[in-house]
Amino acid sequence: MLRRLVAGLGALALVAEAAVLVLVHVVLGRATASQSMSVAGSDPNVMSKATYGLGVAMGAFLLLNAVLLAVTALRDRPPGRAARVVLVAAAVTHGVLGALAVGLVGWGAFAATTALFCLIVLTLTLYAEHDLTAPSAPQEGLRPTNP
């Protein structure tokens, strides 16, 4: 029950984060285009289109992770190997962004990014494929000892 709740909350939080990041990139792209901003003489149109493209790519990546967490919660089974790789990449990204957010944006952004990091990692650990409490089978070559 707890692991389904954590995965569902993670999916909802990732959808909200995707929406916010896409909105921020749309605003930044429009500001770049309307003010003809350039960095080191680069074309303002290229910069605004790159900002839009980055917003779409980030939003799509976050929505993919939200779908993977939602499917995990609905099926109540661990994610597959490819899904785990994508979720671990998202967790690492959130960890790095959380560390950068402290200095660049502030503690509020750090708390939000770290909360998402924790939801993703907690989902991955709660849905671990091997139950660590179950006794493992004796390995080949080793004989069980009788007391």
Side-chain angles (χ1 to χ4, degrees), residues 41-142:
S42 59
D43 186 18
N45 289 331
V46 172
M47 288 185 62
S48 66
K49 287 183 185 356
T51 303
Y52 293 141
L54 183 61
V56 168
M58 288 175 61
F61 178 68
L62 291 172
L63 287 177
L64 171 66
N65 283 286
V67 167
L68 293 175
L69 286 179
V71 167
T72 299
L74 291 174
R75 290 183 180 171
D76 199 20
R77 288 189 312 186
R81 181 174 295 188
R84 280 194 313 265
V85 168
V86 173
L87 289 170
V88 167
V92 169
T93 302
H94 279 89
V96 171
L97 288 178
L100 292 174
V102 174
L104 297 175
V105 182
W107 288 102
F110 170 77
T113 308
T114 305
L116 280 162
F117 169 77
C118 290
L119 286 172
I120 295 169
V121 170
L122 187 58
T123 299
L124 288 170
T125 56
L126 288 175
Y127 279 104
E129 280 196 67
H130 300 291
D131 187 11
L132 298 178
T133 60
S136 61
Q139 295 194 2
E140 191 174 318
L142 299 176

